Amino acid sequence: GAAQTAPRPARNAAIALVLGFIAAGAWAWWRDEQRDQVDSRQAPAAALDAPLLGTVPKFSAVKATGPAPTVTNPDSAASEAYYFVVSSLNLALSGIGGSTVLVTSTGAGDGKTVTALNLAVAAAGNGRRPLLIDSDIRSNGLTKLSGLDGVKGLTDLAGDATRPRNLIRRWAVAPDTDLQFGPAGSSPSADPARFFRSTAFLEAMPELADGQVLTIIDAPPILDVAETTDIAHEADGILVVVSEGTSFKRLAEARDRIAMTGKPILGYIYNRATDASHKSGYSYGYGSTEPDG
């Protein structure tokens, strides 16, 4: 029995070698994954083939609270960044003769809904009266923030004779700031992708956007669901929210998906920046080649 349980140096060495290769492979994969992540505001430009419209610092880094620092902390660097982005966005839209922008991201959790809200508030603060639309009907993020959950909105167009403009509500985001708002709707759609290809939606969007100085559409993440490409057909251009740490691979996939819509990427926002050079809140606008730092 003792002979059977004696150590086998050759076998143990082989096992150790295999484990070593596995560990080395895992390390190389992790290292490549880390290298593939965005870590500076200028980095996404090449992957998206689009300009940086502005940099928004991580709210906690600049002592901003709540989802809308443009309301709760109007003098913060975060609020200043959104005002800068609105100016850049206006320039980008005027360059293509458009007024409707779709806000999206590569995936959930990048901050696109908060971005859409703050851009609308900043636009209102600049004297414009934007129309903000919640077309992310799977999550209803803006609609929940507005307190208008359950109120008639987009999804009710499918079986309601109400004119689209009658679905626009007033959202008092602050005592002195009202937004025109199109909520997600009173009941979830059983098939969101089908709804956004429906005649009811396709005919409603031009009517909603007609005469608006600026229309901001909060759409689902471009890589997560099919309907975002359909919604994009109703916009003049696309704004991509890029959260720090997003992979370059997903950015390239998003660029290719957006290209299928035939709509231009107006630019991107570098969101939740934590680098020391971003804490001032300064952002660089449309087409800028301002270096980091």
Side-chain angles (χ1 to χ4, degrees), residues 59 64-84 86 114-123 125 173-174 176-177 179:
F59 290 175
T65 58
T70 46
V71 174
T72 55
N73 304 93
D75 297 325
S76 68
S79 177
E80 175 190 353
Y82 287 116
Y83 276 88
F84 198 102
V86 165
V114 165
T115 296
L117 172 57
N118 281 281
L119 291 180
V121 174
V173 295
D176 59 347
T177 304
L179 296 178

Side-chain angles (χ1 to χ4, degrees), residues 83-223:
Y83 276 88
F84 198 102
V85 170
V86 165
S87 296
S88 300
L89 184 60
N90 288 338
L91 182 59
L93 282 169
S94 66
I96 61 172
S99 61
T100 301
V101 59
L102 179 141
V103 180
T104 189
S105 61
T106 62
D110 286 330
K112 65 173 185 59
T113 296
V114 165
T115 296
L117 172 57
N118 281 281
L119 291 180
V121 174
N126 280 342
R128 302 163 76 89
R129 194 160 185 263
L131 169 61
L132 180 62
I133 297 175
D134 186 359
S135 72
D136 192 351
I137 62 176
R138 295 175 190 258
S139 65
N140 297 2
L142 282 174
T143 301
K144 291 172 182 175
L145 284 173
S146 71
L148 294 171
D149 214 8
V151 173
K152 283 188 176 182
L154 277 186
T155 58
D156 297 286
L157 289 169
D160 199 314
T162 303
R163 288 184 61 81
R165 282 189 175 273
N166 292 337
L167 298 177
I168 297 176
R169 311 295 175 183
R170 171 179 171 271
W171 180 359
V173 295
D176 59 347
T177 304
D178 286 348
L179 296 178
Q180 298 180 93
F181 180 56
S186 63
S187 58
S189 172
D191 188 349
R194 185 176 181 180
F195 166 72
F196 285 110
R197 290 193 295 268
S198 69
T199 301
F201 173 74
L202 296 177
E203 291 181 350
M205 282 306 299
E207 181 176 336
L208 288 172
D210 184 45
Q212 298 290 346
V213 175
L214 175 64
T215 300
I216 300 171
I217 304 173
D218 179 31
I222 189 72
L223 297 181

Side-chain angles (χ1 to χ4, degrees), residues 29-82:
W29 175 85
W30 181 86
R31 181 190 60 200
D32 290 342
E33 284 294 302
Q34 292 299 106
R35 288 177 177 173
D36 187 48
Q37 292 179 345
V38 170
D39 62 359
S40 69
R41 62 190 176 202
Q42 296 288 356
L48 288 172
D49 192 22
L52 170 68
L53 295 189
T55 303
V56 177
K58 191 173 182 179
F59 290 175
S60 60
V62 293
K63 297 180 172 58
T65 58
T70 46
V71 174
T72 55
N73 304 93
D75 297 325
S76 68
S79 177
E80 175 190 353
Y82 287 116

